[in-house]
Amino acid sequence: MTGTALIVGASGIVGSAAADLLTREGWSVAGLARRPEPHEGVTPVAADLQDPASLDRALAGLNPTHVVLSTWMRRPTEAEMIRVNGAMVRNLLDALRPAGSVRHVALVTGLKHYLGPFEAYGKGAMPPTPFREEQGRLDVENFYYAQEDEVFSAAARDGFTWSVHRPHTIIGKAVGNAMNMGTTLAVYATLCRETGRPFRFPGSPQQWSGLTDMTDARLLARHLLWASTTPAAANHDFNVVDGDVFRWSWMWERIAGWFGLEAAPFDGTVQPLERQMAGDGPAWAEIAARHGLAEPDLGRLASPWHTDADLGRPFEVVTDMSRSRRLGFTAYQPTDDAFFDLFARLRQDRLIP
């Protein structure tokens, strides 16, 4: 089955992976962003999700059958996050309503559904791990819930089906992305190698020794396509992870080895990347100039604050995918290979030396 897909957030980690997959599968794909970047096989659509008039103009005549919503906007407080991100989803679906073409909307959120928003991250009572979809919502305000409610309301009004996809930390390529652990670790490893600094695990003892999992953007794209075209998957929320589990004590050694580094011994203290990399802008610009790299701006490649939030958790985070497995989604991706594939692509695209 193919159709016409509108990917909202097409320049991000998830959106670009979804665009790659759908174009390979023969779909007609449009990518919406405020400033769309060129992507082979994707029709760029420039619009501001906060501006209904710009959406009406940009989407006139597009008539997508499937929508992938993989974008959000960070704001200082959760209340503002709810207001802005809920409105963006509502504005988009209102603009698509007159054509009546939409058959399915896939919304990408994440495990903060279970962990809580940034303001209350990991605080208070959390559901036990592994996280399961039937555990439902926390009793806190969360912009993910606001996004879901806008999709549910529009689906009931307009008659399309929906799916919600909750990845763990995503491994994939995108420049200028606010949440990008894979590229952040690649940049950090490069800085350590080029400057002779120790390659130190920045996170907590619990993350170092506990079990965790992650999500390759390519596997998430396959999950989005599966849920959007499989009748049994309609109107369900899903956790989405690679299918393996690991400890960072093992993965850190694997990442160090790829970059030709020795991993520094972990002494149990949290040493956040945001602090370690605070003054690294000039050093990265010098490395980029010396090696002829495509992006000299460290801030467009690394997101230390988000990587610190994940690696600094004082509790275990493991995700259950039984709902997807029971309905027929069986794809699997070894997470160390996901990192290595990303690093190789970053090197090929001259983003790291």
Side-chain angles (χ1 to χ4, degrees):
M1 173 184 176
T2 61
T4 301
L6 173 65
I7 301 175
V8 183
S11 302
I13 292 176
V14 177
S16 59
D20 287 342
L21 176 63
L22 290 173
T23 53
R24 285 199 308 270
E25 294 290 327
W27 286 62
S28 175
V29 180
L32 187 150
R34 278 178 294 173
R35 293 177 295 276
E37 296 182 2
H39 194 122
E40 186 177 355
V42 176
T43 301
V45 178
D48 184 349
L49 291 171
Q50 298 184 84
D51 182 356
S54 83
L55 285 168
D56 289 340
R57 290 191 299 270
L59 296 174
L62 193 61
N63 302 337
T65 57
H66 294 72
V67 177
V68 173
L69 274 163
S70 60
T71 191
W72 64 286
M73 187 171 291
R74 194 179 184 196
R75 285 293 182 262
T77 67
E78 193 63 22
E80 185 69 2
M81 295 266 281
I82 289 168
R83 184 188 70 78
V84 170
N85 288 284
M88 291 195 305
V89 174
R90 182 169 62 253
N91 292 341
L92 174 80
L93 297 178
D94 283 349
L96 292 170
R97 184 185 188 190
S101 63
V102 176
R103 300 203 297 262
H104 187 90
V105 172
L107 171 67
V108 180
T109 61
L111 293 195
K112 283 187 289 298
H113 181 93
Y114 308 104
L115 293 164
F118 289 119
E119 284 184 5
Y121 193 65
K123 298 176 183 176
M126 290 190 304
T129 56
F131 294 143
R132 302 177 188 275
E133 295 93 346
E134 58 266 26
Q135 290 166 329
R137 296 179 174 183
L138 299 175
D139 188 21
V140 295
E141 291 191 328
N142 191 322
F143 84 89
Y144 283 167
Y145 306 162
Q147 289 181 308
E148 288 181 346
D149 287 343
E150 293 295 345
V151 171
F152 300 159
S153 175
R157 178 192 69 194
D158 299 336
F160 58 75
T161 59
W162 55 265
S163 54
V164 175
H165 305 255
R166 297 179 189 135
H168 198 165
T169 306
I170 299 170
I171 302 169
K173 184 202 165 191
V175 175
N177 192 275
M179 300 190 296
N180 193 336
M181 181 189 284
T183 304
T184 298
L185 293 182
V187 168
Y188 174 59
T190 300
L191 283 162
C192 289
R193 187 184 64 206
E194 296 282 325
T195 64
R197 283 156 43 183
F199 185 59
R200 299 186 185 281
F201 180 71
S204 68
Q206 292 87 347
Q207 289 301 305
W208 179 254
S209 59
L211 291 173
T212 192
D213 47 30
M214 293 184 72
T215 307
D216 188 310
R218 298 167 300 181
L219 181 135
L220 176 54
R222 293 170 65 185
H223 195 270
L224 288 162
L225 176 57
W226 167 79
S228 297
T229 57
T230 301
N235 302 331
H236 282 296
D237 49 351
F238 295 103
N239 298 328
V240 192
V241 287
D242 288 340
D244 62 351
V245 294
F246 64 90
R247 303 180 200 277
W248 275 105
S249 56
W250 175 79
M251 187 66 79
W252 200 251
E253 294 276 357
R254 299 279 287 157
I255 293 173
W258 197 92
F259 286 94
L261 293 166
E262 290 285 337
F266 180 61
D267 63 5
T269 61
V270 178
Q271 302 188 50
L273 287 179
E274 192 164 28
R275 185 173 67 220
Q276 290 192 54
M277 300 174 69
D280 281 338
W284 183 259
E286 188 277 326
I287 291 168
R290 178 155 37 92
H291 290 281
L293 302 183
E295 181 53 72
D297 184 351
L298 180 65
R300 284 183 49 77
L301 292 175
S303 53
W305 67 271
H306 183 262
T307 299
D308 287 337
D310 281 358
L311 297 184
R313 296 169 182 152
F315 44 81
E316 179 185 77
V317 178
V318 185
T319 316
D320 179 77
M321 270 194 72
S322 295
R323 177 171 290 175
S324 293
R325 304 303 189 214
R326 289 188 177 106
L327 292 174
F329 184 81
T330 58
Y332 167 81
Q333 169 64 56
T335 300
D336 54 341
D337 287 349
F339 273 122
F340 301 158
D341 290 349
L342 170 64
F343 299 157
R345 186 176 177 191
L346 293 175
R347 182 168 285 171
Q348 176 183 321
D349 293 346
R350 296 188 303 109
L351 291 169
I352 61 172

